[in-house]
Amino acid sequence: MASSEELHKRRGGAVARGVGSVISSYVDTASGGTITDVDGREWIDFAAGIAVSSVGNSAPKVVEAVRAQVERFTHTCFMVAPYESYVAVCEQLNAVTPGGFEKRSALFNSGAEAVENAVKIARHATGRPAVVVFDHAYHGRTNLTMALTAKNMPYKHRFGPFAGEIYRVPMSYPLRDGGLSGAEAAARAIEMVEKQVGAENVAALLIEPIQGEGGFVVPAPGFLPALRAWATAAGVVFVADEIQTGFCRTGDWFACQHESVEPDLVALAKGIAGGLPLAAVTGRAELMDAVHVGGLGGTYGGNPIACAAALATIETMHELDLAAAARRIESVLAPRLRAAAERDPRIAEVRGRGAMLAVELVRPGTLVPDPVATAAVSAACHAAGLLTLTCGTYGNVLRFLPPLVISDEQLTRGADILDAAFG
């Protein structure tokens, strides 16, 4: 087997430079809360493929389901010759997503596709053009979802012009918005929409219940319910981007449920299928069914192998109660992060829910972001065998997304490495 060094040299002559990687080691195997590279080095995994491998890599039920499906057939295209597993996944999504109303689902390949199709559905159903998004948002890398995303580098830089009729308003960011309550922050955003766009022109209000790439920003309590109430009154489709927060990641099945918010549409991906590419939009039946036949779909959307993996993944989440597992992870890791914050004045805030936790780093005594220190701490973690990710509009947030099946012992070892990296 080639070494990581050899593979990295081959990569330079084969892979486009614009495709980056966090580490230069190459994976051989992965399971539970660890990854082993081709050189035999073990890494504690605090990334989970960016919140994808929530049930762990090579989860037994997922492996069994995928193997069985590959032996039966690999692809027919649901739009040509349909199959039961697509229907079964939609039934499961309709059942587990927030809201007791009648729902429908449609399956796609990636989070960006899910968001883009949610916008299509909202525009078609309402006949309105405008979409409202938030500061620090991340929604994907297609042309429309780049327009929806707030951060220029690396996501948008020199890739424009972008899709139009996108309007951005302030997010509730408790560390940085002057102590506004959730209701006050929502009123600020709503006032901007009504004055600058006009509620009657808005098809959709699109929001991550906890922002992902933007810095794991948890809005102040009351922010999401106030926006939900305004959207209902204004006839605006409330779209929750639960791509990173969904499927037990935050200690409930979906992050909206922490404040009993019921979105009209939910965009889903990442943790949905145990590492296979699958995404979905699930929502109110009258909205989903408003689109004409043939208006939604895609060649690979709801591929039978991915659907088999998704059914096994959802079954595993139920059987192992991975929402409770996420809360257990928070109970182990969050106190360690708070203790580090008490010792280290660079840590301005510890935030997040469940197994979606982060620390924001600043210059001591200020709120000036410190991306240099953030990158240095993350690099020190990598050198010691802990896989971590950074994020945030200012590049100054360390985020932690361990697989939901990670052990307490692995969590503790990871926290020890993190402590040493800060030191």
Side-chain angles (χ1 to χ4, degrees):
M1 182 181 295
S3 68
S4 289
E5 183 179 3
E6 291 167 337
L7 289 170
H8 210 60
K9 288 178 181 177
R10 285 169 52 188
R11 171 185 177 145
V15 180
R17 188 172 64 93
V19 180
S21 296
V22 172
I23 59 174
S24 58
S25 293
Y26 285 70
V27 178
D28 180 29
T29 61
S31 64
T34 61
I35 292 172
T36 303
D37 69 21
V38 294
D39 304 310
R41 183 183 184 190
E42 184 180 86
W43 300 73
I44 297 172
D45 185 8
F46 274 19
I50 317 183
V52 169
S53 52
S54 295
V55 296
N57 269 285
S58 302
K61 286 184 179 293
V62 175
V63 171
E64 180 184 350
V66 167
R67 182 181 292 120
Q69 181 58 52
V70 166
E71 292 175 350
R72 294 177 61 227
F73 62 95
T74 57
H75 178 75
T76 63
C77 183
F78 188 77
M79 298 184 300
V80 176
Y83 36 87
E84 181 182 3
S85 58
Y86 187 114
V87 178
V89 170
C90 291
E91 290 171 336
Q92 289 290 320
L93 297 180
N94 296 345
V96 299
T97 49
F101 41 80
E102 188 177 2
K103 299 173 196 160
R104 301 284 187 272
S105 293
L107 305 184
F108 307 99
N109 300 297
S110 68
E113 280 189 59
V115 171
E116 192 142 338
N117 277 278
V119 171
K120 285 167 55 178
I121 293 163
R123 283 175 165 166
H124 195 287
T126 63
R128 301 172 178 181
V131 179
V132 173
V133 290
F134 290 82
D135 288 338
H136 313 290
Y138 176 84
H139 295 292
R141 294 176 182 260
T142 62
N143 185 269
L144 175 59
T145 56
M146 280 190 294
L148 300 168
T149 291
K151 190 174 180 179
N152 175 56
M153 194 69 179
Y155 305 117
K156 302 169 69 169
H157 184 60
R158 298 181 67 178
F159 292 142
F162 303 114
E165 287 296 320
I166 308 299
Y167 300 90
R168 195 171 308 282
V169 295
M171 179 66 178
S172 171
Y173 194 149
L175 180 66
R176 296 185 174 275
D177 61 9
L180 290 180
S181 69
E184 290 167 337
R188 175 183 61 180
I190 290 165
E191 182 181 22
M192 285 184 63
V193 174
E194 291 181 338
K195 287 184 176 179
Q196 298 182 22
V197 187
E200 67 278 9
N201 297 314
V202 179
L205 184 148
L206 171 64
I207 190 167
E208 302 157 273
I210 299 174
Q211 291 186 318
E213 300 293 325
F216 280 28
V217 178
V218 182
F223 183 70
L224 293 175
L227 293 176
R228 166 72 274 189
W230 172 82
T232 300
V236 171
V237 179
F238 186 99
V239 184
D241 179 342
E242 291 257 15
I243 289 162
Q244 191 161 166
T245 54
F247 294 99
C248 303
R249 174 57 54 182
T250 64
D252 212 328
W253 272 81
F254 298 93
C256 279
Q257 293 172 305
H258 291 282
E259 291 195 86
S260 301
V261 171
E262 297 180 350
D264 297 309
L265 301 176
V266 187
L268 305 165
K270 289 194 182 289
I272 192 173
L276 273 74
L278 188 70
V281 179
T282 298
R284 293 184 182 274
E286 63 271 23
L287 296 173
M288 298 293 295
D289 285 345
V291 178
H292 52 277
V293 174
L296 301 175
T299 302
Y300 290 103
N303 171 270
I305 300 169
C307 284
L311 292 171
T313 296
I314 293 170
E315 182 181 354
T316 299
M317 288 177 172
H318 281 298
E319 285 190 358
L320 300 182
D321 193 1
L322 291 189
R327 297 192 294 271
R328 173 186 59 81
I329 289 168
E330 181 179 3
S331 73
V332 173
L333 190 54
R336 294 291 300 270
L337 297 176
R338 286 193 287 268
E342 291 177 2
R343 296 190 302 268
D344 195 325
R346 295 172 298 179
I347 300 176
E349 186 174 44
V350 176
R351 57 178 179 253
R353 289 198 183 107
M356 186 175 180
L357 300 171
V359 293
E360 180 163 350
L361 274 64
V362 297
R363 295 178 189 170
T366 75
L367 286 180
V368 177
D370 195 341
V372 174
T374 306
V377 172
S378 191
C381 288
H382 300 162
L386 174 65
L387 185 54
T388 57
L389 303 172
T390 62
C391 65
T393 297
Y394 314 106
N396 68 322
V397 177
L398 276 166
R399 56 174 164 165
F400 311 109
L401 292 162
L404 302 182
V405 295
I406 195 170
S407 69
D408 286 358
E409 184 271 334
Q410 290 164 339
L411 279 174
T412 299
R413 277 200 290 142
D416 290 342
I417 292 172
L418 183 61
D419 281 345
F422 275 114

